[in-house]
Amino acid sequence: MTQYQIDSVEKHSGTTEHDIVHMSVAEKISNLDRAELHVHMNGAIPVSTIQDIFVDELTELPPGFIFERDMLRCTPCQSLASYLTPWQVLRLFPKKRENLDRLSLAVVKNLALNNVRLVELRSSVLYLATLQNCSPAQALERLLESSRAASYQFGMRIGLILTVTRGDYSSVALSTLLKAYQDLGEPDDVVGIDLAGDEEIAYPTELPSLFRKAKDRFGLGITIHAGETGRVDNVRSAVELFGADRIGHGTAASKAPHLLDFLAKQDICIEVCPISNRLTGAVSADEAHPLLEFKRHQVPFVICSDNPAIHQKGLVDDHASAMSEGLSASDIYEQFYVAKRYSFIEGLD
């Protein structure tokens, strides 16, 4: 290891140079402080917590859904739609306020076990209003209160990113979420907005302008799931039409060197999810992960976990996976600082 790497490890973990010499790579990176900028709250709920809540709320599974088979995603799927099967049940709970607190605590606890000190959690929120028979503003307020309590218990900085899904009603959903945000007095811990879902699904023509207006009016960061399913043009559109500050996944960009140069020039950060990318098929088994192309073209990127609970993994595993894809230990040590630079949360040191 270089002296820079030794100093970095010592700064993060208190580990001495003598200890470092006798540590494996996995041990070295397991001790680092981490930041998580792309994680979906529903995809981060431990399976045991989901099962407990199902029992408590007497939740029935959809016809044909087999929990043991369909909830976890640990081997590559045939399509993104197949990968997203767990969401058939991930939006059936929590109906009770106390179970929202319960799952928030479980999510943050698992993040803390991965040494995460800073996280931006993504949630669609609106389904929660339906489940708990309350207004969107009340649902958002409850989610904020639950995440604040959990973050306080584990000493973690948390920001919330409001997610809408591609489709005919995405503009209505975004407008509803922003109205709830305003009704609550524009809370500081709502830090961004996100567009997710299958990129093959069309969205209303006015949606990009709604994102840009929200950015200009409220100062919210914008992150767009783009280039995950092979559509290179979606990445450029995310920046030029939606005003994206960050790109979720963006794997298809590696197929267009001119696009990588554009992202580097615009200082657009890519949220890379190595384990998820292999499981969804965004990066096939017979091709290299585009991480090294991002690095070669000086495109900023952060390593993230996406849906760690349904992968049965954590951010530590994604960092290890990124190293197996070609990143150096030095790259991993720098991740905490890169994430803080591109985080939407204000006031970070």
Side-chain angles (χ1 to χ4, degrees), residues 110-153:
N110 270 13
L111 291 168
L113 290 173
N114 281 262
N115 276 14
V116 173
R117 310 301 184 200
L118 163 72
V119 62
E120 294 177 5
L121 283 172
R122 300 179 187 218
S123 177
S124 301
V125 180
L126 295 181
Y127 77 97
L128 188 61
T130 300
L131 287 171
Q132 300 199 355
N133 193 29
C134 64
S135 70
Q138 289 172 320
L140 177 57
E141 184 175 39
R142 292 176 186 182
L143 180 58
L144 288 170
E145 289 173 352
S146 291
S147 60
R148 286 167 186 160
S151 67
Y152 180 79
Q153 183 166 335

Side-chain angles (χ1 to χ4, degrees), residues 55-332:
V55 171
D56 182 58
E57 297 186 349
L58 303 177
T59 302
E60 294 185 7
L61 295 176
F65 190 100
I66 300 174
F67 197 94
E68 294 75 12
R69 181 193 66 193
D70 297 327
M71 179 56 69
L72 300 181
R73 288 292 174 263
C74 301
T75 56
C77 299
Q78 293 183 341
S79 66
L80 180 61
S82 175
Y83 172 83
L84 294 174
T85 299
W87 269 260
Q88 293 179 24
V89 301
L90 286 173
R91 292 188 176 179
L92 298 179
F93 68 97
K95 300 181 182 74
K96 298 180 180 179
R97 170 59 191 274
E98 57 266 31
N99 283 332
L100 177 59
D101 296 339
R102 186 180 191 176
L103 73 83
S104 296
L105 190 63
V107 166
V108 174
K109 179 180 179 180
N110 270 13
L111 291 168
L113 290 173
N114 281 262
N115 276 14
V116 173
R117 310 301 184 200
L118 163 72
V119 62
E120 294 177 5
L121 283 172
R122 300 179 187 218
S123 177
S124 301
V125 180
L126 295 181
Y127 77 97
L128 188 61
T130 300
L131 287 171
Q132 300 199 355
N133 193 29
C134 64
S135 70
Q138 289 172 320
L140 177 57
E141 184 175 39
R142 292 176 186 182
L143 180 58
L144 288 170
E145 289 173 352
S146 291
S147 60
R148 286 167 186 160
S151 67
Y152 180 79
Q153 183 166 335
F154 288 94
M156 191 182 302
R157 280 293 296 273
I158 286 186
L160 181 65
I161 293 178
L162 305 177
T163 295
V164 296
T165 303
R166 286 176 174 84
D168 293 340
Y169 300 101
S170 52
S171 293
V172 174
L174 179 58
S175 297
T176 302
L177 284 171
L178 292 174
K179 176 63 165 54
Y181 167 71
Q182 289 179 274
D183 288 346
L184 294 181
E186 303 174 16
D188 291 340
D189 36 2
V190 174
V191 298
I193 50 179
D194 167 42
L195 179 64
D198 190 337
E199 293 176 59
E200 302 299 326
I201 297 175
Y203 54 77
T205 56
E206 72 273 13
L207 187 63
S209 66
L210 291 178
F211 268 78
R212 295 196 311 272
K213 288 176 182 177
K215 180 178 182 177
D216 293 341
R217 180 175 181 181
F218 305 117
L220 296 172
I222 294 179
T223 174
I224 305 290
H225 283 65
E228 183 180 12
T229 53
R231 298 178 64 86
V232 175
D233 292 343
N234 285 351
V235 178
R236 182 178 287 273
S237 296
V239 178
E240 294 183 338
L241 298 183
F242 287 84
D245 303 291
R246 302 198 312 246
I247 298 293
H249 302 292
T251 52
S254 65
K255 298 177 174 62
H258 64 283
L259 179 57
L260 293 178
D261 293 338
F262 168 77
L263 294 173
K265 183 177 180 180
Q266 297 296 318
D267 197 31
I268 304 298
C269 183
I270 297 182
E271 303 155 354
V272 178
C273 308
I275 293 175
S276 175
N277 293 159
R278 293 294 186 184
L279 294 176
T280 63
V283 182
S284 64
D286 60 353
E287 64 178 326
H289 196 284
L291 266 172
L292 294 184
E293 283 299 303
F294 297 157
K295 182 178 177 181
R296 188 174 297 116
H297 285 261
Q298 299 183 329
V299 179
F301 60 84
V302 288
I303 305 300
C304 309
S305 64
D306 202 12
N307 300 295
I310 69 171
H311 302 161
Q312 297 287 276
K313 301 291 185 180
L315 189 55
V316 171
D317 300 296
D318 276 279
H319 279 177
S321 178
M323 292 184 70
S324 73
E325 302 281 6
L327 291 192
S328 67
S330 181
D331 293 326
I332 299 301

